Amino acid sequence: MRMQWKVSVWVLVALCLTLGIGNVSGAAKFPEKPITLVVHAGAGGGSDIFSRTLSATFDKEKLLPQPIVVENKPGGSGAIAFAYVAGKKRDPYFLLTAVTSFLTTPILRKSQITYKEFTPIANFAFDEYMVIVRAESKYKSMKDIVNDAKANPKKITVGGTQLGSSDSICAYLIEKAAGVQLNYIVFNSGGEVNAALMGGHIDIAVANPGEALELAKANKVRTLGVFSEKRLAGAPDVPTLKEQGLNAIYVQNRGLVAPEGIPEDARKVLEDALLKYTKTTIFRDYIKENMLSEAWMDGPTFGKWMEAEYARYQVLLKEMGLLK
């Protein structure tokens, strides 16, 4: 009887191991269901295109056993999406786009929801912003703009999106570096800025390469300079602002974060899959076509970068008079 009991126990143990019951190595692997990638802005913008390109590539290349599904939650300069994902603590099935507004919106709104309430997953690329004018503009270089701005303070109009956005920060960096004052005009979107520029309603515009690319290809705008350390591979003839005597360097990152407190093994699965994504032809074509610069950072590195940028933005936004 005792021998029979022992045999039954071992049979039960073997069955449990086969089924993965009570065994860590046999436990279900992440992800077991689709992952939602929340975009903080509306459809058609840079973050939306980035996210949908990523989603389609994951599906095509089978980088994870489950799909990544894109969901747009625009509003409040990203605040609605940030609060939504922050509320999913410890849930690894949510990702969130993290660009400039991910850091600046909480500062401007004095929100308790900051980058500290999230798990950094990865950064992929940088957008290096450009100064553009109409093709027929009298401005041929940044020197022309600076000289005119010194002679006519607040007369040169520069278009961009809301105060505190990348556009307005770039305009401020020009003012600070050159010791001039520009007249910053706020528009609702990059598309409206470009339309105003083409219509002659503003003198210059600040745009990321993706927004200016088609206009430049059609020879409708002239690119006077880029806010990068070195010239862009896709625009080798365009000098940096630094080359033109203006110490104005700025990049917008493109990264992803997850809710705070997700399991470390899930975080690593996501990070590893996203690194594989950066090796795909689709991603490299996306980088080239949108004139971005590759800037891969793993989770811990991205977290440290955001910490430094958050501190920098606190100073910049205060200098701009947007914080009291």
Side-chain angles (χ1 to χ4, degrees), residues 9 112 172 179 226 230 246 287:
V9 170
Q112 297 299 312
Y172 169 72
V226 293
K230 58 183 180 180
L246 297 173
I287 289 290

PDB file of all heavy atoms in Angstrom, residues 9 112 172 179 226 230 246 287:
ATOM      1  N   VAL A   9       2.065   9.449  -5.898  1.00  0.00           N
ATOM      2  CA  VAL A   9       2.608  10.789  -5.680  1.00  0.00           C
ATOM      3  C   VAL A   9       3.527  11.194  -6.819  1.00  0.00           C
ATOM      4  O   VAL A   9       3.444  12.308  -7.345  1.00  0.00           O
ATOM      5  CB  VAL A   9       3.345  10.852  -4.331  1.00  0.00           C
ATOM      6  CG1 VAL A   9       4.123  12.167  -4.236  1.00  0.00           C
ATOM      7  CG2 VAL A   9       2.360  10.746  -3.182  1.00  0.00           C
ATOM      8  N   GLN A 112       1.241  65.903 -10.550  1.00  0.00           N
ATOM      9  CA  GLN A 112       1.905  64.893  -9.727  1.00  0.00           C
ATOM     10  C   GLN A 112       2.331  63.698 -10.582  1.00  0.00           C
ATOM     11  O   GLN A 112       3.134  62.878 -10.142  1.00  0.00           O
ATOM     12  CB  GLN A 112       0.945  64.415  -8.622  1.00  0.00           C
ATOM     13  CG  GLN A 112       0.544  65.502  -7.641  1.00  0.00           C
ATOM     14  CD  GLN A 112       1.734  66.089  -6.897  1.00  0.00           C
ATOM     15  OE1 GLN A 112       2.572  65.362  -6.379  1.00  0.00           O
ATOM     16  NE2 GLN A 112       1.820  67.414  -6.855  1.00  0.00           N
ATOM     17  N   TYR A 172      12.956  79.985 -28.512  1.00  0.00           N
ATOM     18  CA  TYR A 172      13.591  80.627 -27.358  1.00  0.00           C
ATOM     19  C   TYR A 172      15.110  80.423 -27.387  1.00  0.00           C
ATOM     20  O   TYR A 172      15.878  81.345 -27.060  1.00  0.00           O
ATOM     21  CB  TYR A 172      13.023  80.071 -26.052  1.00  0.00           C
ATOM     22  CG  TYR A 172      13.821  80.508 -24.844  1.00  0.00           C
ATOM     23  CD1 TYR A 172      13.765  81.818 -24.388  1.00  0.00           C
ATOM     24  CD2 TYR A 172      14.670  79.615 -24.184  1.00  0.00           C
ATOM     25  CE1 TYR A 172      14.528  82.240 -23.306  1.00  0.00           C
ATOM     26  CE2 TYR A 172      15.433  80.022 -23.103  1.00  0.00           C
ATOM     27  CZ  TYR A 172      15.359  81.326 -22.658  1.00  0.00           C
ATOM     28  OH  TYR A 172      16.121  81.740 -21.600  1.00  0.00           O
ATOM     29  N   GLY A 179      20.704  86.740 -28.544  1.00  0.00           N
ATOM     30  CA  GLY A 179      20.409  87.971 -27.812  1.00  0.00           C
ATOM     31  C   GLY A 179      19.377  88.821 -28.524  1.00  0.00           C
ATOM     32  O   GLY A 179      19.498  90.051 -28.573  1.00  0.00           O
ATOM     33  N   VAL A 226      19.835  73.569 -38.718  1.00  0.00           N
ATOM     34  CA  VAL A 226      19.290  72.492 -37.884  1.00  0.00           C
ATOM     35  C   VAL A 226      19.849  72.619 -36.465  1.00  0.00           C
ATOM     36  O   VAL A 226      20.983  73.060 -36.263  1.00  0.00           O
ATOM     37  CB  VAL A 226      19.604  71.096 -38.455  1.00  0.00           C
ATOM     38  CG1 VAL A 226      18.878  70.876 -39.761  1.00  0.00           C
ATOM     39  CG2 VAL A 226      21.099  70.899 -38.645  1.00  0.00           C
ATOM     40  N   LYS A 230      25.697  67.942 -35.316  1.00  0.00           N
ATOM     41  CA  LYS A 230      26.337  67.818 -36.624  1.00  0.00           C
ATOM     42  C   LYS A 230      25.272  67.786 -37.711  1.00  0.00           C
ATOM     43  O   LYS A 230      24.088  67.577 -37.438  1.00  0.00           O
ATOM     44  CB  LYS A 230      27.199  66.552 -36.684  1.00  0.00           C
ATOM     45  CG  LYS A 230      26.443  65.274 -36.414  1.00  0.00           C
ATOM     46  CD  LYS A 230      27.377  64.071 -36.413  1.00  0.00           C
ATOM     47  CE  LYS A 230      26.611  62.772 -36.152  1.00  0.00           C
ATOM     48  NZ  LYS A 230      27.504  61.600 -36.140  1.00  0.00           N
ATOM     49  N   LEU A 246      25.438  80.123 -33.443  1.00  0.00           N
ATOM     50  CA  LEU A 246      24.353  80.087 -32.458  1.00  0.00           C
ATOM     51  C   LEU A 246      24.420  78.781 -31.656  1.00  0.00           C
ATOM     52  O   LEU A 246      24.245  77.696 -32.209  1.00  0.00           O
ATOM     53  CB  LEU A 246      22.996  80.188 -33.164  1.00  0.00           C
ATOM     54  CG  LEU A 246      22.729  81.481 -33.932  1.00  0.00           C
ATOM     55  CD1 LEU A 246      21.421  81.360 -34.713  1.00  0.00           C
ATOM     56  CD2 LEU A 246      22.674  82.667 -32.989  1.00  0.00           C
ATOM     57  N   ILE A 287      13.467  55.581 -40.318  1.00  0.00           N
ATOM     58  CA  ILE A 287      14.454  56.562 -39.856  1.00  0.00           C
ATOM     59  C   ILE A 287      14.943  57.417 -41.024  1.00  0.00           C
ATOM     60  O   ILE A 287      14.999  58.653 -40.937  1.00  0.00           O
ATOM     61  CB  ILE A 287      15.653  55.847 -39.188  1.00  0.00           C
ATOM     62  CG1 ILE A 287      15.246  55.240 -37.839  1.00  0.00           C
ATOM     63  CG2 ILE A 287      16.824  56.806 -39.009  1.00  0.00           C
ATOM     64  CD1 ILE A 287      14.978  56.238 -36.754  1.00  0.00           C
TER      65      ILE A 287
END
